[in-house]
Amino acid sequence: MLVLTLPSRPAPLRARFAEAGYLPLPDLLTRQGLKALHQEAGRLEAAATRRDFHMECMENSPRHMTTLGGHHIAQESALISTLYRDTGLLALLTALHEVDVLPVQEPVERHVLNILHNPGDTHGAHTDDFPLALVLFIEAPEASTDGGLLEFNPGRRDLGALNEPGARQLHHQAGDAYLLRSDLTAHRVTPLNRPGTRRTVLNFAYTTEDHRTPATNSAHRLYA
Ligand SMILES: O=C(O)CCC(=O)C(=O)O
Ligand SMILES: [Fe+2]
């Protein structure tokens, strides 16, 4: 089954990614791929854990979400484990980042499932441990007014930048993806605000030779 439609000409995208630290990849998932991942996420959700707390090491930003860590996903989902290591995908990421992109060895955070499903659910401000996040949208709010927007301020690593001029809020649809320079770009997901709205993503973390170990314990707080 073909799960991804990889852009055939990554060269023009490279400069955009380098400049903003963010690159939208609309329709990265094929229809079949989205359907299969939707089914898979639905099955995995039964094993996921509700999280409601503030992350101390990220300025006490809120986490109101349901998560499943990479160690469970590796055991339960051949589809996701295989997709994470797809050679075409790794080649695309290497072309976009211009440095050899490697799978993360750390089992908890290398691929995670994040589900926002109640009004007020949010994935608060943070930076990630590893340099690259590829976020795949399995479910998304229909309208940008429903919340669940990715927010970041290009080139800014400080969490306060999210409340300053230049911050961007972006809506994505199911089947879309984006690539983020997630260790150097503070980011968050704005609260859902309409009952019945769901936002489910897979976050695939990737690294490079010089970033082998996690920078914080935040992933363990959220996923272990
Ligand atoms: O859901 C998103 O768009 C961002 C996910 C994220 O920041 C993370 O999993 O670290
Ligand atoms: Fe993140």
Side-chain angles (χ1 to χ4, degrees), residues 112 114 123 126 128 135 137 150 178 187 189 199 201 203 223:
V112 297
N114 297 335
H123 188 166
H126 66 282
D128 290 358
V135 174
F137 284 77
L150 169 71
Y178 67 79
H187 55 284
V189 181
R199 183 187 191 277
V201 302
N203 183 357
Y223 299 106

Side-chain angles (χ1 to χ4, degrees), residues 170-193:
L170 298 164
H171 178 247
H172 301 84
Q173 295 184 328
D176 290 351
Y178 67 79
L179 183 65
L180 187 70
R181 182 63 208 258
S182 55
D183 61 337
L184 299 183
T185 312
H187 55 284
R188 73 177 163 215
V189 181
T190 64
L192 294 183
N193 58 41

Side-chain angles (χ1 to χ4, degrees), residues 59-118:
E59 300 180 12
N60 284 316
S61 56
R63 300 291 179 277
H64 297 291
M65 53 201 287
T66 292
T67 68
L68 189 66
H71 49 311
H72 289 292
I73 293 175
Q75 276 183 359
E76 302 293 328
S77 176
L79 174 65
I80 296 172
S81 311
T82 304
L83 185 61
Y84 178 74
R85 292 172 191 283
D86 184 273
T87 50
L89 180 58
L90 285 163
L92 171 69
L93 298 176
T94 293
L96 294 172
H97 192 44
E98 298 185 88
V99 179
D100 274 345
V101 169
L102 307 170
V104 163
Q105 296 303 320
E106 204 289 314
V108 172
E109 63 180 309
R110 75 175 151 225
H111 39 45
V112 297
L113 184 67
N114 297 335
I115 308 166
L116 308 186
H117 53 104
N118 294 323

Side-chain angles (χ1 to χ4, degrees), residues 198-219:
R198 290 174 55 90
R199 183 187 191 277
T200 300
V201 302
L202 278 169
N203 183 357
F204 286 0
Y206 292 97
T207 195
T208 51
E209 189 58 48
D210 50 342
H211 286 80
R212 289 295 197 155
T213 51
T216 70
N217 74 348
S218 60

